[in-house]
Amino acid sequence: MGLSAAAPLWGPPGLLLTIALHPALSLRPAKASAPPHRDYCVLGAGPAGLQMAYFLQRAGRDYAVFERAPEPGSFFTRYPRHRKLISINKRYTGKVNAEFNLRHDWNSLLSHDPRLLFRHYSRAYFPDAGDMVRYLRDFADRLRLHVLYNTTIAHVTLDKDPRAWNGHYFILTDQKGQAYRCSVLLVATGLSVPNQVDFPGSEYAEGYESVSMDPMDFVGQNVLILGRGNSAFETAENIFDVTNFIHMLSRSRVRLSWATHYVGDLRAINNGLLDTYQLKSLDGLLESDLTNLALVKDREGRFHVTLKYLLEETNQTADAITLPQDDNDNFAMRDAYDRVIRCLGWNFDFSIFNKSLRLSSGGEFSKKYPLVKASYESKGSRGLFVLGTASHSVDYRKSAGGFIHGFRYTVRAVHRLLEHRHHGVPWPSTEHPITQLTSSIVRRVNEASGLYQMFTVLADVVLLKEGATAFEYLEEFPMQMLAQLETITGRSAKHGLFVINMEYGRNFSGPDKDVFFYDRSVGHIEDAWQSNFLHPVIYYYRHLPTEQEVRFRPADWPLPRPTAIHHIVEDFLTDWTAPVGHILPLRRFLENCLDTDLRSFYAESCFLFALTRQKQPPFCQQGYLRMQGLVGNERLRQHGVESGLLRDYAAVGKHRKDSTRQPRDREPTGRPRAPEPPAQAFNHDKEEL
């Protein structure tokens, strides 16, 4: 049969040919089809990853969360090993303000759903880790967050592309070889690699991640614990009532959180071993650099501590190695140990990231944390942000950025930065007339949880408008990025600004500080700058500080030296609403900076000022002269008299008129009267309010 008799090319035989070729067509190189693309990729469905997913979803952004486990919060399914969290769950504060209550709720993530508050998941002050797993599962499910479970990202690299937002895409490859392309990468994997110190015999130490949790396995044993953090003391707390003794060894002295004011240091809930040590009940704490020591195992399987240099000087058998007690018979660790447990904390897992991302510099500190800027963006790769515990290098031992009650706010700050950078959405702000400046600051320092938890890291910023007639209020901005405020937020800072921060006294925190000394609290207004406990501090700048000024600021200062600074005196109740002790000094400070009067006035007072002053107070300019504002009446005047804030001019005037007027004269009633200067100020501060 000739070709002319053949079936048409796209008839049934042609269709069969196409089907036959299909397998071959499918074997083309993967480069022929681009990998699935997401604008935002979040690594890890722990608290930080879910918090970022919530903000991205609320903003309607294209994102995906990659989680290697079958459910969120996989870290908490195993850690802490003894299941008790050290993040407080204070269910009762006596307040109904939700923002204030978050100051004392260290476990909830931020959301619009009141059901997703951790107090609904546990009644314990220090909750069980299982409650956190249940909470995170509900958080992801109820908010319908886009999480890809059972997806382990095995490798991350860069793909240069000038069309990408940041000049490159991030290529993620999972355990099955599936690739994903992302414009922005948000790493929220936490710290998951056990920290190990390499010294002779370190292989004999059991890790915190695998040691038995059954106290009966330690009955009658001598135990050496390497480390001095909460995991070390948590381990000791579990077994110290059944052991012969526990010795705890670390290169640095113990740091108590109530002395350092750093939540990551040793918490009181875990420090029972300090009692048994100081009360001489066999347990003890020792300081030494682990790299100078060595562990030697004898033929009975017990461990001896020796000095590294003694081990290096001999080639003898293990039982004949020189021990420190051979020369010093009162060597502290001369008794043999049955168990050695390593509790040295955790490091970031750098293994999945290509070196082109430059997440680590190789320095000692960067082995624990990735290198990030104060904006939480990687120093080596634009568009790569580190969230949650892994971002704690920004405020390590200074604030709470490594913990849920801190990083829920730093994650929100990163999201706001991304909204402006990639979508043109300015940093959220509210605009108010200048007369509301004092009340706006007072409200925030008394309610805001982000300021309270992320002290010296996140601050509120007040941007003044031209002529200081109004202001914009920005919440929780990263302080160390102040020089780039206009670029990051899309707001103008041409006419001066205030920065509102929370701070401890500069000489009040530290492992060697006596924080219980007799005169530790400050109560006098004039000594507010010496306040020790957490208190609000307001910085005023006529101009936005430069990057050079921020970088070379004075030691221990969170910001460059301002034009003026004001400390609101510390308060035992952390309630900065006292009219004379807190609000009046703040208002005077603001008035001095702005060269204006921020008080509110009755209409008759504004009328008097209009007749007697060239410059009117802002309240009168914005209210009375525009036929707005509060108009005085007899009831308000009488209230002022009864409260002692006004003198009873009506009674004085009536007495004078009664002595001179004729019987036919009539005095009008109910008419507002202009205030006159009082004959004498019995309480100047009260009258100024």
Side-chain angles (χ1 to χ4, degrees):
M1 182 179 293
L3 183 62
S4 60
L9 181 61
W10 297 109
L15 179 60
L16 290 174
L17 180 62
T18 303
I19 294 174
L21 289 174
H22 178 71
L25 293 173
S26 65
L27 294 176
R28 288 180 181 177
K31 207 168 184 179
S33 59
H37 175 82
R38 290 287 182 271
D39 288 343
Y40 297 95
C41 291
V42 183
L43 294 190
L50 295 182
Q51 185 67 87
M52 177 54 79
Y54 167 76
F55 291 125
L56 291 171
Q57 182 149 307
R58 291 284 284 180
R61 304 305 173 200
D62 175 40
Y63 78 95
V65 181
F66 299 88
E67 170 56 46
R68 63 183 177 182
E71 63 179 354
S74 59
F75 179 87
F76 294 99
T77 62
R78 188 173 183 185
Y79 302 108
R81 294 294 311 282
H82 303 93
R83 311 311 290 151
K84 182 173 285 190
L85 300 176
I86 58 174
S87 48
I88 66 174
N89 177 40
K90 190 168 180 61
R91 301 171 66 229
Y92 303 103
T93 65
K95 307 281 188 179
V96 296
N97 184 284
E99 178 73 9
F100 174 87
N101 288 337
L102 280 173
R103 289 183 170 189
H104 310 286
D105 172 357
W106 292 9
N107 300 285
S108 294
L109 297 178
L110 304 178
S111 81
H112 64 282
D113 190 342
R115 297 174 300 172
L116 292 173
L117 292 173
F118 197 83
R119 61 186 175 87
H120 300 310
Y121 289 79
S122 175
R123 294 184 177 184
Y125 192 76
F126 293 105
D128 186 87
D131 295 328
M132 177 59 73
V133 175
R134 187 163 53 92
Y135 171 76
L136 295 176
R137 185 190 308 124
D138 280 2
F139 190 90
D141 291 346
R142 287 186 178 178
L143 298 173
R144 301 181 182 275
L145 304 181
H146 305 155
V147 184
L148 301 178
Y149 295 111
N150 299 308
T151 305
T152 301
I153 298 302
H155 187 65
V156 181
T157 189
L158 288 178
D159 180 19
K160 300 286 186 181
D161 192 326
R163 297 168 298 176
W165 286 352
N166 298 292
H168 52 250
Y169 291 109
F170 298 94
I171 306 299
L172 283 55
T173 307
D174 67 15
Q175 78 275 24
K176 298 178 181 178
Q178 172 65 55
Y180 306 87
R181 189 177 71 171
C182 315
S183 296
V184 174
L185 180 60
L186 301 153
V187 180
T189 53
L191 305 180
S192 58
V193 179
N195 183 37
Q196 301 191 40
V197 177
D198 186 22
F199 60 88
S202 60
E203 66 274 11
Y204 298 131
E206 304 172 73
Y208 168 79
E209 66 278 5
S210 58
V211 70
S212 171
M213 294 185 293
D214 185 358
M216 299 310 296
D217 291 341
F218 298 86
V219 173
Q221 294 187 349
N222 304 344
V223 178
L224 175 64
I225 296 179
L226 307 179
R228 193 158 297 170
N230 280 292
S231 61
F233 277 89
E234 168 204 332
T235 301
E237 196 82 11
N238 185 52
I239 62 175
F240 79 124
D241 56 344
V242 299
T243 56
N244 294 335
F245 61 77
I246 296 174
H247 290 166
M248 194 171 286
L249 179 65
S250 178
R251 66 180 179 181
S252 60
R253 59 173 294 178
V254 64
R255 294 173 176 267
L256 301 169
S257 61
W258 44 259
T260 62
H261 300 112
Y262 172 59
V263 67
D265 284 334
L266 179 61
R267 305 289 297 284
I269 188 176
N270 286 327
N271 67 12
L273 193 76
L274 296 183
D275 267 4
T276 59
Y277 168 47
Q278 290 294 342
L279 298 177
K280 298 311 296 175
S281 185
L282 298 181
D283 301 320
L285 275 66
L286 297 157
E287 286 81 37
S288 178
D289 191 332
L290 296 180
T291 58
N292 295 329
L293 302 179
L295 280 179
V296 178
K297 186 176 183 179
D298 64 23
R299 63 179 58 186
E300 296 178 357
R302 307 185 82 197
F303 304 104
H304 300 265
V305 175
T306 187
L307 301 177
K308 184 178 179 179
Y309 78 90
L310 293 177
L311 198 65
E312 294 172 344
E313 290 178 353
T314 179
N315 291 318
Q316 301 175 14
T317 63
D319 291 332
I321 288 175
T322 303
L323 299 176
Q325 54 264 39
D326 295 337
D327 297 324
N328 182 3
D329 59 5
N330 70 339
F331 176 61
M333 292 184 288
R334 58 185 178 271
D335 282 349
Y337 297 97
D338 300 293
R339 309 282 284 269
V340 180
I341 305 173
R342 167 181 42 78
C343 301
L344 299 173
W346 308 90
N347 294 332
F348 182 77
D349 184 3
F350 292 93
S351 64
I352 68 171
F353 298 95
N354 188 279
K355 290 184 178 180
S356 62
L357 276 73
R358 295 179 294 170
L359 269 179
S360 173
S361 67
E364 188 64 31
F365 189 67
S366 65
K367 291 179 181 178
K368 185 176 182 69
Y369 294 111
L371 287 173
V372 296
K373 306 173 186 175
S375 61
Y376 303 95
E377 187 170 20
S378 167
K379 291 184 177 181
S381 300
R382 180 176 170 84
L384 191 159
F385 290 82
V386 181
L387 311 176
T389 302
S391 68
H392 196 27
S393 60
V394 172
D395 63 308
Y396 184 63
R397 292 199 182 281
K398 296 177 182 178
S399 197
F403 310 90
I404 292 176
H405 62 288
F407 66 61
R408 61 191 177 193
Y409 301 105
T410 61
V411 169
R412 182 163 65 183
V414 170
H415 176 255
R416 288 170 172 172
L417 182 155
L418 292 171
E419 281 292 291
H420 180 249
R421 177 186 289 184
H422 298 303
H423 309 288
V425 180
W427 195 282
S429 70
T430 54
E431 187 169 335
H432 308 275
I434 200 67
T435 52
Q436 296 181 19
L437 179 56
T438 306
S439 60
S440 296
I441 294 175
V442 169
R443 180 182 63 82
R444 285 287 295 170
V445 300
N446 281 287
E447 297 177 0
S449 178
L451 290 183
Y452 194 82
Q453 300 296 1
M454 289 305 296
F455 53 89
T456 72
V457 177
L458 299 180
D460 286 359
V461 180
V462 171
L463 302 178
L464 298 172
K465 296 294 187 179
E466 186 175 4
T469 58
F471 65 92
E472 279 187 288
Y473 202 106
L474 282 65
E475 298 178 359
E476 297 161 18
F477 183 81
M479 294 176 66
Q480 299 310 309
M481 300 302 293
L482 189 61
Q484 293 88 42
L485 181 139
E486 292 183 324
T487 302
I488 291 174
T489 66
R491 307 291 180 182
S492 174
K494 295 180 180 178
H495 306 292
L497 65 154
F498 292 96
V499 180
I500 298 94
N501 180 37
M502 303 288 282
E503 299 178 15
Y504 280 99
R506 290 195 175 91
N507 297 312
F508 190 54
S509 303
D512 58 342
K513 302 294 184 181
D514 177 13
V515 294
F516 295 107
F517 66 92
Y518 185 73
D519 292 323
R520 60 187 176 273
S521 62
V522 174
H524 298 294
I525 300 172
E526 59 271 19
D527 298 326
W529 64 279
Q530 294 180 309
S531 293
N532 288 312
F533 288 94
L534 194 66
H535 63 285
V537 183
I538 295 90
Y539 296 75
Y540 170 62
Y541 296 94
R542 290 196 180 95
H543 307 285
L544 194 65
T546 65
E547 291 189 36
Q548 192 84 348
E549 290 171 336
V550 172
R551 182 179 179 184
F552 296 104
R553 62 189 183 277
D556 299 325
W557 279 63
L559 289 172
R561 290 191 183 277
T563 305
I565 189 171
H566 175 71
H567 292 253
I568 301 180
V569 68
E570 66 185 50
D571 187 78
F572 183 70
L573 301 176
T574 61
D575 179 11
W576 292 279
T577 58
V580 175
H582 300 135
I583 298 176
L584 179 59
L586 171 62
R587 199 198 73 222
R588 285 173 172 168
F589 167 75
L590 299 175
E591 289 175 339
N592 287 334
C593 294
L594 301 176
D595 189 26
T596 192
D597 190 331
L598 295 178
R599 289 178 293 175
S600 300
F601 297 94
Y602 293 126
E604 55 266 34
S605 299
C606 291
F607 175 73
L608 182 62
F609 293 150
L611 297 177
T612 59
R613 296 186 183 182
Q614 290 185 346
K615 182 179 179 181
Q616 304 303 309
F619 183 87
C620 295
Q621 293 178 9
Q622 298 166 4
Y624 175 75
L625 297 181
R626 297 181 182 180
M627 301 182 69
Q628 299 173 357
L630 183 65
V631 178
N633 56 50
E634 182 62 25
R635 184 179 61 81
L636 289 174
R637 186 195 65 77
Q638 187 62 32
H639 175 73
V641 171
E642 292 173 355
S643 63
L645 297 177
L646 291 176
R647 187 179 177 187
D648 191 356
Y649 301 115
V652 175
K654 182 178 180 183
H655 175 74
R656 290 175 180 172
K657 289 184 178 182
D658 286 345
S659 64
T660 59
R661 69 179 180 175
Q662 299 297 321
R664 64 179 181 274
D665 292 338
R666 292 185 180 180
E667 180 182 0
T669 58
R671 182 178 300 170
R673 295 170 174 79
E676 300 175 10
Q680 55 182 5
F682 66 92
N683 188 328
H684 178 72
D685 287 342
K686 228 177 195 182
E687 289 180 354
E688 190 175 341
L689 290 171

